[in-house]
Amino acid sequence: MIVRLPPLAPGLRVGLYGGSFNPAHAGHRHVSRLALRRLALDRVWWLVSPGNPLKDRSHLPETAARAVGARAVAADPRIAVTDFEAALGVRYTVETLSWLTDRHPEVRFVWIMGADSLATFHRWGGWRTIAARMPFAVIDRPGYTLRAMASPAARALATSRLDEIAAPTLAGRAPPAWVFLHGPRSSLSSTALRAGAVPGRPGATNRD
């Protein structure tokens, strides 16, 4: 099995932003640039997944095709798009993150997710292992702020939450450690784009 990763170096601060990217859009780029700035990261990787186990994947385009579209949208030398999860044959985020941290302990990885994902994080396979493996940052999303912070995972990990002012130190923290980042929020959604809806109008959603 050959797994090709974006360039790595010891001490590099890399944000990992996973999703189906079906399709990738400017909201993904907004989140990535916010993370680069607020978390003092060197790079952000878009992990184009084979598919979310919690969602219907019957009509999901091929991973390679979604990666091509994501590269066209990323348009930033600090953002690398990779579909290596397909080569690994993994189904769950915990498998990906465990594989990366086992093989590259010298890299300072940070998991990045939206507030909508934190709201359902307790349903992810191995979510406690994810929190114990890698620091993570939660990016606020319209309509999810209160729901995310009241979620079972947020409550269970409350003592590991950092103040936003400490966000630039997150990559160097030993897990469990996480931060909730407020700021300008994007209403763009892959779901809405597939449906032809415009954010803010009927039919639009806040989910990727």
PDB file of all heavy atoms in Angstrom, residues 5-32:
ATOM      1  N   LEU A   5       1.412  11.520   1.244  1.00  0.00           N
ATOM      2  CA  LEU A   5       0.977  12.638   2.061  1.00  0.00           C
ATOM      3  C   LEU A   5       1.565  13.947   1.543  1.00  0.00           C
ATOM      4  O   LEU A   5       2.609  13.938   0.870  1.00  0.00           O
ATOM      5  CB  LEU A   5       1.423  12.436   3.507  1.00  0.00           C
ATOM      6  CG  LEU A   5       0.906  11.205   4.253  1.00  0.00           C
ATOM      7  CD1 LEU A   5       1.527  11.158   5.650  1.00  0.00           C
ATOM      8  CD2 LEU A   5      -0.604  11.219   4.337  1.00  0.00           C
ATOM      9  N   PRO A   6       0.947  15.071   1.857  1.00  0.00           N
ATOM     10  CA  PRO A   6       1.582  16.362   1.569  1.00  0.00           C
ATOM     11  C   PRO A   6       2.910  16.456   2.328  1.00  0.00           C
ATOM     12  O   PRO A   6       3.140  15.707   3.279  1.00  0.00           O
ATOM     13  CB  PRO A   6       0.563  17.376   2.096  1.00  0.00           C
ATOM     14  CG  PRO A   6      -0.751  16.652   2.058  1.00  0.00           C
ATOM     15  CD  PRO A   6      -0.411  15.230   2.406  1.00  0.00           C
ATOM     16  N   PRO A   7       3.801  17.354   1.925  1.00  0.00           N
ATOM     17  CA  PRO A   7       5.116  17.478   2.575  1.00  0.00           C
ATOM     18  C   PRO A   7       4.996  17.714   4.078  1.00  0.00           C
ATOM     19  O   PRO A   7       4.126  18.446   4.543  1.00  0.00           O
ATOM     20  CB  PRO A   7       5.737  18.685   1.874  1.00  0.00           C
ATOM     21  CG  PRO A   7       5.065  18.737   0.539  1.00  0.00           C
ATOM     22  CD  PRO A   7       3.664  18.284   0.789  1.00  0.00           C
ATOM     23  N   LEU A   8       5.885  17.063   4.841  1.00  0.00           N
ATOM     24  CA  LEU A   8       5.920  17.188   6.287  1.00  0.00           C
ATOM     25  C   LEU A   8       7.344  17.454   6.755  1.00  0.00           C
ATOM     26  O   LEU A   8       8.302  17.086   6.084  1.00  0.00           O
ATOM     27  CB  LEU A   8       5.417  15.905   6.953  1.00  0.00           C
ATOM     28  CG  LEU A   8       3.912  15.661   6.962  1.00  0.00           C
ATOM     29  CD1 LEU A   8       3.623  14.271   7.516  1.00  0.00           C
ATOM     30  CD2 LEU A   8       3.195  16.714   7.769  1.00  0.00           C
ATOM     31  N   ALA A   9       7.465  18.066   7.925  1.00  0.00           N
ATOM     32  CA  ALA A   9       8.766  18.298   8.543  1.00  0.00           C
ATOM     33  C   ALA A   9       8.565  18.355  10.049  1.00  0.00           C
ATOM     34  O   ALA A   9       7.489  18.743  10.520  1.00  0.00           O
ATOM     35  CB  ALA A   9       9.382  19.605   8.041  1.00  0.00           C
ATOM     36  N   PRO A  10       9.579  17.951  10.821  1.00  0.00           N
ATOM     37  CA  PRO A  10       9.450  17.988  12.280  1.00  0.00           C
ATOM     38  C   PRO A  10       9.084  19.385  12.772  1.00  0.00           C
ATOM     39  O   PRO A  10       9.639  20.388  12.309  1.00  0.00           O
ATOM     40  CB  PRO A  10      10.850  17.589  12.757  1.00  0.00           C
ATOM     41  CG  PRO A  10      11.392  16.749  11.646  1.00  0.00           C
ATOM     42  CD  PRO A  10      10.865  17.379  10.386  1.00  0.00           C
ATOM     43  N   GLY A  11       8.118  19.439  13.700  1.00  0.00           N
ATOM     44  CA  GLY A  11       7.707  20.714  14.273  1.00  0.00           C
ATOM     45  C   GLY A  11       6.665  21.466  13.481  1.00  0.00           C
ATOM     46  O   GLY A  11       6.148  22.491  13.951  1.00  0.00           O
ATOM     47  N   LEU A  12       6.349  20.990  12.281  1.00  0.00           N
ATOM     48  CA  LEU A  12       5.353  21.666  11.455  1.00  0.00           C
ATOM     49  C   LEU A  12       3.999  21.624  12.162  1.00  0.00           C
ATOM     50  O   LEU A  12       3.604  20.604  12.730  1.00  0.00           O
ATOM     51  CB  LEU A  12       5.255  20.993  10.090  1.00  0.00           C
ATOM     52  CG  LEU A  12       4.721  21.843   8.922  1.00  0.00           C
ATOM     53  CD1 LEU A  12       5.692  22.968   8.597  1.00  0.00           C
ATOM     54  CD2 LEU A  12       4.502  20.975   7.695  1.00  0.00           C
ATOM     55  N   ARG A  13       3.279  22.741  12.117  1.00  0.00           N
ATOM     56  CA  ARG A  13       1.961  22.844  12.753  1.00  0.00           C
ATOM     57  C   ARG A  13       0.902  22.704  11.662  1.00  0.00           C
ATOM     58  O   ARG A  13       0.725  23.615  10.846  1.00  0.00           O
ATOM     59  CB  ARG A  13       1.840  24.175  13.478  1.00  0.00           C
ATOM     60  CG  ARG A  13       2.925  24.362  14.545  1.00  0.00           C
ATOM     61  CD  ARG A  13       3.176  25.826  14.867  1.00  0.00           C
ATOM     62  NE  ARG A  13       2.084  26.433  15.595  1.00  0.00           N
ATOM     63  CZ  ARG A  13       2.041  26.571  16.912  1.00  0.00           C
ATOM     64  NH1 ARG A  13       3.050  26.115  17.657  1.00  0.00           N
ATOM     65  NH2 ARG A  13       1.029  27.148  17.508  1.00  0.00           N
ATOM     66  N   VAL A  14       0.233  21.555  11.652  1.00  0.00           N
ATOM     67  CA  VAL A  14      -0.672  21.205  10.553  1.00  0.00           C
ATOM     68  C   VAL A  14      -2.099  21.018  11.066  1.00  0.00           C
ATOM     69  O   VAL A  14      -2.358  20.186  11.938  1.00  0.00           O
ATOM     70  CB  VAL A  14      -0.212  19.909   9.858  1.00  0.00           C
ATOM     71  CG1 VAL A  14      -1.187  19.535   8.735  1.00  0.00           C
ATOM     72  CG2 VAL A  14       1.196  20.072   9.296  1.00  0.00           C
ATOM     73  N   GLY A  15      -3.024  21.782  10.492  1.00  0.00           N
ATOM     74  CA  GLY A  15      -4.434  21.601  10.783  1.00  0.00           C
ATOM     75  C   GLY A  15      -5.035  20.576   9.841  1.00  0.00           C
ATOM     76  O   GLY A  15      -4.756  20.603   8.640  1.00  0.00           O
ATOM     77  N   LEU A  16      -5.824  19.667  10.360  1.00  0.00           N
ATOM     78  CA  LEU A  16      -6.480  18.625   9.571  1.00  0.00           C
ATOM     79  C   LEU A  16      -7.971  18.920   9.521  1.00  0.00           C
ATOM     80  O   LEU A  16      -8.648  18.947  10.559  1.00  0.00           O
ATOM     81  CB  LEU A  16      -6.245  17.248  10.199  1.00  0.00           C
ATOM     82  CG  LEU A  16      -4.787  16.837  10.398  1.00  0.00           C
ATOM     83  CD1 LEU A  16      -4.713  15.513  11.157  1.00  0.00           C
ATOM     84  CD2 LEU A  16      -4.059  16.732   9.066  1.00  0.00           C
ATOM     85  N   TYR A  17      -8.478  19.151   8.321  1.00  0.00           N
ATOM     86  CA  TYR A  17      -9.877  19.542   8.128  1.00  0.00           C
ATOM     87  C   TYR A  17     -10.532  18.511   7.225  1.00  0.00           C
ATOM     88  O   TYR A  17     -10.295  18.486   6.018  1.00  0.00           O
ATOM     89  CB  TYR A  17      -9.913  20.938   7.502  1.00  0.00           C
ATOM     90  CG  TYR A  17     -11.256  21.585   7.369  1.00  0.00           C
ATOM     91  CD1 TYR A  17     -12.336  21.235   8.176  1.00  0.00           C
ATOM     92  CD2 TYR A  17     -11.447  22.587   6.423  1.00  0.00           C
ATOM     93  CE1 TYR A  17     -13.562  21.862   8.044  1.00  0.00           C
ATOM     94  CE2 TYR A  17     -12.671  23.222   6.277  1.00  0.00           C
ATOM     95  CZ  TYR A  17     -13.727  22.864   7.091  1.00  0.00           C
ATOM     96  OH  TYR A  17     -14.945  23.491   6.955  1.00  0.00           O
ATOM     97  N   GLY A  18     -11.305  17.616   7.808  1.00  0.00           N
ATOM     98  CA  GLY A  18     -11.883  16.514   7.048  1.00  0.00           C
ATOM     99  C   GLY A  18     -13.304  16.763   6.614  1.00  0.00           C
ATOM    100  O   GLY A  18     -14.032  17.557   7.216  1.00  0.00           O
ATOM    101  N   GLY A  19     -13.710  16.074   5.550  1.00  0.00           N
ATOM    102  CA  GLY A  19     -15.081  16.188   5.082  1.00  0.00           C
ATOM    103  C   GLY A  19     -15.249  15.549   3.725  1.00  0.00           C
ATOM    104  O   GLY A  19     -14.279  15.098   3.104  1.00  0.00           O
ATOM    105  N   SER A  20     -16.467  15.534   3.243  1.00  0.00           N
ATOM    106  CA  SER A  20     -16.730  14.965   1.921  1.00  0.00           C
ATOM    107  C   SER A  20     -16.389  15.954   0.811  1.00  0.00           C
ATOM    108  O   SER A  20     -16.127  15.554  -0.315  1.00  0.00           O
ATOM    109  CB  SER A  20     -18.196  14.537   1.811  1.00  0.00           C
ATOM    110  OG  SER A  20     -19.048  15.660   1.937  1.00  0.00           O
ATOM    111  N   PHE A  21     -16.425  17.266   1.117  1.00  0.00           N
ATOM    112  CA  PHE A  21     -16.135  18.306   0.120  1.00  0.00           C
ATOM    113  C   PHE A  21     -16.941  18.035  -1.156  1.00  0.00           C
ATOM    114  O   PHE A  21     -16.397  17.950  -2.250  1.00  0.00           O
ATOM    115  CB  PHE A  21     -14.632  18.380  -0.169  1.00  0.00           C
ATOM    116  CG  PHE A  21     -13.824  18.834   1.017  1.00  0.00           C
ATOM    117  CD1 PHE A  21     -13.250  17.907   1.879  1.00  0.00           C
ATOM    118  CD2 PHE A  21     -13.648  20.181   1.282  1.00  0.00           C
ATOM    119  CE1 PHE A  21     -12.518  18.316   2.997  1.00  0.00           C
ATOM    120  CE2 PHE A  21     -12.916  20.604   2.399  1.00  0.00           C
ATOM    121  CZ  PHE A  21     -12.350  19.668   3.253  1.00  0.00           C
ATOM    122  N   ASN A  22     -18.246  17.931  -0.973  1.00  0.00           N
ATOM    123  CA  ASN A  22     -19.148  17.549  -2.062  1.00  0.00           C
ATOM    124  C   ASN A  22     -20.264  18.585  -2.262  1.00  0.00           C
ATOM    125  O   ASN A  22     -21.416  18.349  -1.886  1.00  0.00           O
ATOM    126  CB  ASN A  22     -19.758  16.170  -1.761  1.00  0.00           C
ATOM    127  CG  ASN A  22     -20.684  15.700  -2.873  1.00  0.00           C
ATOM    128  OD1 ASN A  22     -20.448  15.969  -4.040  1.00  0.00           O
ATOM    129  ND2 ASN A  22     -21.768  15.016  -2.505  1.00  0.00           N
ATOM    130  N   PRO A  23     -19.904  19.756  -2.864  1.00  0.00           N
ATOM    131  CA  PRO A  23     -18.579  20.125  -3.363  1.00  0.00           C
ATOM    132  C   PRO A  23     -17.841  21.015  -2.351  1.00  0.00           C
ATOM    133  O   PRO A  23     -18.435  21.521  -1.407  1.00  0.00           O
ATOM    134  CB  PRO A  23     -18.928  20.939  -4.614  1.00  0.00           C
ATOM    135  CG  PRO A  23     -20.190  21.663  -4.216  1.00  0.00           C
ATOM    136  CD  PRO A  23     -20.962  20.673  -3.345  1.00  0.00           C
ATOM    137  N   ALA A  24     -16.546  21.211  -2.593  1.00  0.00           N
ATOM    138  CA  ALA A  24     -15.781  22.196  -1.829  1.00  0.00           C
ATOM    139  C   ALA A  24     -16.288  23.585  -2.197  1.00  0.00           C
ATOM    140  O   ALA A  24     -16.751  23.821  -3.312  1.00  0.00           O
ATOM    141  CB  ALA A  24     -14.295  22.074  -2.156  1.00  0.00           C
ATOM    142  N   HIS A  25     -16.213  24.524  -1.258  1.00  0.00           N
ATOM    143  CA  HIS A  25     -16.708  25.877  -1.523  1.00  0.00           C
ATOM    144  C   HIS A  25     -15.924  26.898  -0.703  1.00  0.00           C
ATOM    145  O   HIS A  25     -15.042  26.545   0.100  1.00  0.00           O
ATOM    146  CB  HIS A  25     -18.211  25.967  -1.237  1.00  0.00           C
ATOM    147  CG  HIS A  25     -18.611  25.484   0.130  1.00  0.00           C
ATOM    148  ND1 HIS A  25     -18.310  26.155   1.287  1.00  0.00           N
ATOM    149  CD2 HIS A  25     -19.294  24.372   0.518  1.00  0.00           C
ATOM    150  CE1 HIS A  25     -18.797  25.511   2.328  1.00  0.00           C
ATOM    151  NE2 HIS A  25     -19.388  24.409   1.888  1.00  0.00           N
ATOM    152  N   ALA A  26     -16.251  28.164  -0.888  1.00  0.00           N
ATOM    153  CA  ALA A  26     -15.514  29.252  -0.238  1.00  0.00           C
ATOM    154  C   ALA A  26     -15.618  29.190   1.279  1.00  0.00           C
ATOM    155  O   ALA A  26     -14.749  29.711   1.987  1.00  0.00           O
ATOM    156  CB  ALA A  26     -16.009  30.606  -0.751  1.00  0.00           C
ATOM    157  N   GLY A  27     -16.678  28.559   1.813  1.00  0.00           N
ATOM    158  CA  GLY A  27     -16.790  28.421   3.259  1.00  0.00           C
ATOM    159  C   GLY A  27     -15.689  27.545   3.834  1.00  0.00           C
ATOM    160  O   GLY A  27     -15.169  27.810   4.921  1.00  0.00           O
ATOM    161  N   HIS A  28     -15.314  26.501   3.095  1.00  0.00           N
ATOM    162  CA  HIS A  28     -14.195  25.658   3.529  1.00  0.00           C
ATOM    163  C   HIS A  28     -12.892  26.474   3.566  1.00  0.00           C
ATOM    164  O   HIS A  28     -12.085  26.333   4.486  1.00  0.00           O
ATOM    165  CB  HIS A  28     -14.020  24.471   2.582  1.00  0.00           C
ATOM    166  CG  HIS A  28     -15.168  23.511   2.582  1.00  0.00           C
ATOM    167  ND1 HIS A  28     -15.823  23.117   1.444  1.00  0.00           N
ATOM    168  CD2 HIS A  28     -15.769  22.843   3.607  1.00  0.00           C
ATOM    169  CE1 HIS A  28     -16.780  22.256   1.750  1.00  0.00           C
ATOM    170  NE2 HIS A  28     -16.770  22.081   3.057  1.00  0.00           N
ATOM    171  N   ARG A  29     -12.700  27.298   2.555  1.00  0.00           N
ATOM    172  CA  ARG A  29     -11.495  28.131   2.518  1.00  0.00           C
ATOM    173  C   ARG A  29     -11.512  29.158   3.651  1.00  0.00           C
ATOM    174  O   ARG A  29     -10.477  29.437   4.272  1.00  0.00           O
ATOM    175  CB  ARG A  29     -11.395  28.831   1.157  1.00  0.00           C
ATOM    176  CG  ARG A  29     -10.050  29.560   0.947  1.00  0.00           C
ATOM    177  CD  ARG A  29      -9.880  30.050  -0.485  1.00  0.00           C
ATOM    178  NE  ARG A  29     -10.909  30.991  -0.868  1.00  0.00           N
ATOM    179  CZ  ARG A  29     -11.823  30.781  -1.822  1.00  0.00           C
ATOM    180  NH1 ARG A  29     -11.834  29.635  -2.486  1.00  0.00           N
ATOM    181  NH2 ARG A  29     -12.724  31.699  -2.114  1.00  0.00           N
ATOM    182  N   HIS A  30     -12.681  29.716   3.939  1.00  0.00           N
ATOM    183  CA  HIS A  30     -12.814  30.679   5.037  1.00  0.00           C
ATOM    184  C   HIS A  30     -12.401  30.045   6.369  1.00  0.00           C
ATOM    185  O   HIS A  30     -11.633  30.628   7.140  1.00  0.00           O
ATOM    186  CB  HIS A  30     -14.261  31.171   5.112  1.00  0.00           C
ATOM    187  CG  HIS A  30     -14.592  31.884   6.390  1.00  0.00           C
ATOM    188  ND1 HIS A  30     -14.203  33.189   6.639  1.00  0.00           N
ATOM    189  CD2 HIS A  30     -15.255  31.463   7.517  1.00  0.00           C
ATOM    190  CE1 HIS A  30     -14.611  33.546   7.853  1.00  0.00           C
ATOM    191  NE2 HIS A  30     -15.254  32.521   8.399  1.00  0.00           N
ATOM    192  N   VAL A  31     -12.928  28.847   6.645  1.00  0.00           N
ATOM    193  CA  VAL A  31     -12.587  28.141   7.889  1.00  0.00           C
ATOM    194  C   VAL A  31     -11.087  27.876   7.959  1.00  0.00           C
ATOM    195  O   VAL A  31     -10.456  28.056   9.010  1.00  0.00           O
ATOM    196  CB  VAL A  31     -13.377  26.816   7.980  1.00  0.00           C
ATOM    197  CG1 VAL A  31     -12.799  25.917   9.072  1.00  0.00           C
ATOM    198  CG2 VAL A  31     -14.848  27.086   8.245  1.00  0.00           C
ATOM    199  N   SER A  32     -10.508  27.462   6.839  1.00  0.00           N
ATOM    200  CA  SER A  32      -9.083  27.124   6.815  1.00  0.00           C
ATOM    201  C   SER A  32      -8.210  28.344   7.066  1.00  0.00           C
ATOM    202  O   SER A  32      -7.234  28.279   7.829  1.00  0.00           O
ATOM    203  CB  SER A  32      -8.727  26.498   5.458  1.00  0.00           C
ATOM    204  OG  SER A  32      -9.487  25.337   5.236  1.00  0.00           O
TER     205      SER A  32
END
